[in-house]
Amino acid sequence: LQGDGLDDVSGRLAKLELLPVGEKPLQLTFVVVEIGRYRDFRTNFPARDQHTLKFALTNVLQELAQADGMYGWAEWIAENRMGMIVGLSGEHSPAREKIRIFADKGRIWVAEHLRLSLMFGVGHAEREWERVGLSYKAAVEVMRHKMSLGKQAVVMSEDLPDDAGRQWFIYLQYGSGLVKEFRLLNGEWRVHLERLFGHMEKDYLKDEDIRMILQTMMDMLGSELSDMSDELSGHFKGPEAEAMQKAADDTVSLDDLRALYSERLTEIFRTYVAHTETKNHHAMINELKGYIEENFENPNLSLQHLSDRFHVSGKYVSYLFKEEFNMKFIDFIVRLRMERAEELLAETDESVQNIALRVGYANSITFGRVFKRIIGMTSGDYRKLKQKPGKARQTGDF
C-alpha cells in the first residue's frame, strides 16, 4: 500500500494463498470499512466483546465477497477501521457496481445481526497489484468527507466532485451574513446558517474544512459580541466555549453538527437580545459620551471607572467608542483634554502646571508630551501663537 517491496507481488501473494495459483485478477479495489459512532461501540461493549465483533466483521465481509464470486483480503488498519482489498476476475465488469452491491449487502447484514453501523469508502479499481496503493489512498480520502457524505453509507471515490472550481469565499459570505443579521437582532441569521450547511453538504467538503469554516464563523461572531458583556464573552471564551468545541469535535454527522450549532447560536442570540434590551445601545452611547464630556478632567477616569459607574464591561465601553466614533476610548478623552487645554492656554494666564492638573494630568511633563504629540508644538509655543499681543502673562509659566 505504501509502494515498498513491490517486486514479485503476485508470486508472494500466491504463496500466501491469497491468490489462486496462476490466476491474476483484472480489477483490484481497496475498501475502507469504518465502525460508526465508535465511542458508543467502546462504551457499550467490553474489550473482549469488541475483539470478538471485529473478528466476526473480518470474516463476514470476506465471506460475502467470496459468495459474490470475488475474494477479499481484510485487516484492521486502525482501531475503528478495517482495510479490505477486493479482487474481481475479468468477467466482472464494471467493478464499481459489483463492489457497491457487495458493500451495501455487508452493511445491511451487520446492522441486522451485529447491530453495528458501518460506512464504506471505496477506492477506484486498479489492474495491477503494484498500483493498489493508489486505490487505498482514494478510499482513505473518501473517509475524510464523512460528515458531508454521512447519509450515504457506501461512498465511491468517483462520487466526490472535483473541487477545482470550488469558491471558498461563498462559505465566508454565509458566515458574515449570519453575523450581520445577528448584530441587527434579526432572526434571519437562521436562513444563512441553513444555506451554509446546505452548501457544505452539496460540495462534499472534508470534515476538517467543515470544522474550519464553522470555527471561522464563530470567531467572526465572537469579535462582534464578546466584548459587550461578561455573559456574552462566556459563549466564546472559557469553559463554556471549550465545552462547545469538544461537543462539535465529537459530532460525527453533518445533521448532528447542524443541530448543535443551531442550538448554540439560538442560546447566544437570546443572550444578546436580553443584553440589548437591558442596555439600549444608542442610549448607552449617549450616556457614556455625556458623562465623559462632564468628567474628562478627572485623572481617575478610565475604562474601569466607567465599567463600575455604568455596570458594563470595560471591553464593551471600548467597543462602543470604536464603533460609534471610530477611535479608541483613550483617544476620545485626550481629544477633549487637548481642546480644553488649548482654550486655557489661549485665554488665561494660568501656569502650564495648573492647566495640566485642570485637564486631568498629574504633572506638566506628561501633559507637555501629550500636547506636543497631538497639537504638533509645545504648550509654550502654542500660547505665544494664540494669545493676543500685549496680554500680560505670569513669569515662569514655562
Side-chain angles (χ1 to χ4, degrees), residues 55-65 84 102 106 109-110 114:
F55 177 77
L57 281 175
T58 303
N59 287 282
V60 165
L61 293 179
Q62 289 180 145
E63 290 173 6
L64 287 175
M84 188 172 186
F102 148 72
W109 192 97
V110 170
L114 301 180

Side-chain angles (χ1 to χ4, degrees), residues 302-314 317:
S302 64
L303 288 174
Q304 186 59 51
H305 176 91
L306 294 175
S307 176
D308 296 338
R309 173 70 173 74
F310 292 93
H311 306 291
V312 294
S313 73
V317 175

Side-chain angles (χ1 to χ4, degrees), residues 70-188:
M70 303 179 289
Y71 69 85
W73 178 11
E75 299 285 351
W76 286 90
I77 58 176
E79 189 177 9
N80 64 331
R81 280 185 178 181
M82 178 195 302
M84 188 172 186
I85 298 176
V86 179
L88 296 84
S89 65
E91 65 189 46
H92 290 129
S93 183
R96 172 188 173 93
E97 290 308 314
K98 184 70 175 178
I99 293 178
R100 186 193 294 273
I101 292 171
F102 148 72
D104 203 48
K105 185 186 298 183
R107 176 185 64 82
I108 294 172
W109 192 97
V110 170
E112 289 180 351
H113 295 86
L114 301 180
R115 299 182 182 276
L116 297 176
S117 63
L118 299 181
M119 182 172 181
F120 291 75
V122 183
H124 53 266
E126 291 290 347
R127 298 287 179 175
E128 304 289 339
W129 275 99
E130 290 80 0
R131 293 176 55 84
V132 75
L134 299 176
S135 181
Y136 159 73
K137 292 177 182 178
V140 170
E141 179 64 21
V142 167
M143 302 304 283
R144 297 178 67 189
H145 300 251
K146 289 198 299 294
M147 285 198 293
S148 57
L149 294 168
K151 295 179 180 178
Q152 305 177 45
V154 179
V155 185
M156 318 295 287
S157 60
E158 296 94 331
D159 293 341
L160 293 180
D162 182 8
D163 63 358
R166 187 170 294 150
Q167 297 175 308
W168 290 95
F169 73 90
I170 292 178
Y171 309 121
L172 297 180
Q173 281 183 340
Y174 287 133
S176 63
L178 180 145
V179 173
K180 180 180 178 181
E181 298 298 337
F182 235 85
R183 291 284 288 111
L184 295 174
L185 297 173
N186 192 334
E188 288 296 306

Side-chain angles (χ1 to χ4, degrees), residues 235-282:
H235 288 297
F236 301 98
K237 303 172 185 177
E240 190 176 349
E242 292 171 3
M244 166 64 182
Q245 187 60 53
K246 185 179 185 304
D249 291 342
D250 290 342
T251 303
V252 296
S253 76
L254 200 61
D255 285 343
D256 289 346
L257 199 63
R258 179 190 283 110
L260 179 67
Y261 271 87
S262 179
E263 179 181 355
R264 182 62 171 169
L265 287 169
T266 297
E267 184 179 350
I268 296 173
F269 188 68
R270 288 172 180 165
T271 304
Y272 176 52
V273 170
H275 171 79
T276 55
E277 288 176 349
T278 303
K279 293 288 185 182
N280 181 272
H281 186 76
H282 295 292

